[in-house]
Amino acid sequence: MGCKIYERYRDQMPITESLIYLNHAAVAPLCKPAAEAMKQLADEAMRFGSLHYDRWLAAYEGVRQSAARLIGASPREIAIVKNTSEGIATVAIGIDWQPGDRIVAFHEEFPANFLPWKQLEQVGVRITWLSVEDPMDKIDAACLGARLLAISFVQYLSGYRADLNAIGEICRRRGCFFFVDAIQGLGVFPLDVELAQIDALAADGHKWLLGPEGCGVLYVRQEVQDSIRPVELGWTNVAKYRDYASRDLTLRPDAGRYECGTLNTIGCYGLRAALEFILEIGVENMAPAILALGDLLAAGAAAKGYEILGKRTPETGAGIVSIRHPATDSHLIVRRLKDLGIIAAPRQGWVRMAPHFYISPAEIDRVTAEL
């Protein structure tokens, strides 16, 4: 019998030597390949400056290629951004909105996927607010006449995982632009931008991708790129950016048009390595492992008298499990767990836990025993 997935790759997550880390929905530990890649670039830059600049360019392209493989896109549809918020803002500000346009958005969203859309009310855009747990027929009705729908793949607090394929079908049939904040699910649950008919998507590398902070990706479908203008313009947005004497404002013919100036090179080294690590393991292998860990955690917490936020099902469950106890403050619980080497996060009165694939079931049992 072969070894379990967490056994096979555990040595690539050195944090297991000191902590039970259940905070991947906030900031994840770096996987070993990402850390080593960043160390390599730091050492090279210290010793040689930009002598090997061609390797830096290869790292940028590597991020685009690996991200494209992960979501079923073309590298020409991938821009490198500094975080999810920048990706969302690029779309929200870059569209030529008109008074009376309407957006479909959701109450439960993290501020990064709430505030940019809410702000558009100031220019006359109307917003239809729904719940992520509303039935598909209500989402369908709301999309009639709407210009854009924005939703997270996985909700940051409840861990509710949206049916992107079903929502994408609605949006395409209704002629509604489909935007996804993918940060809480990208890399650990299947996501295909063609199957889901997603028009744009943003995600950072520092959560479930096990990469660094400050480096993420923005996917924009090739067919819609001309309808989203860059909100920042620098020397690398334009087609002739390699010609420093050029003053031609013609934009790059791909998603590189959204990249404004020098990129986070060391971050790209780390993110490329992290993406390649995720691709090697396979989303199809991680998803069931993470679901099982979440189910085990939820069942164990419930048995200890904790309330579980939301209802987990095989279709809507993800890696996030939020719990609370009627008699104990969530901050106190998180502090006590931290003293035991168990890392979780307090969120809005809940204790949010988010185990990744490399955590063992025995570690989850220890966590629930300590609750």
Side-chain angles (χ1 to χ4, degrees), residues 6 20 293 296 359-367:
Y6 63 86
I20 298 177
L293 292 172
L296 184 63
I359 304 293
S360 71
E363 288 172 309
I364 297 299
D365 289 339
R366 186 197 157 196
V367 172

Side-chain angles (χ1 to χ4, degrees), residues 158 277 302 314:
S158 68
F277 180 59

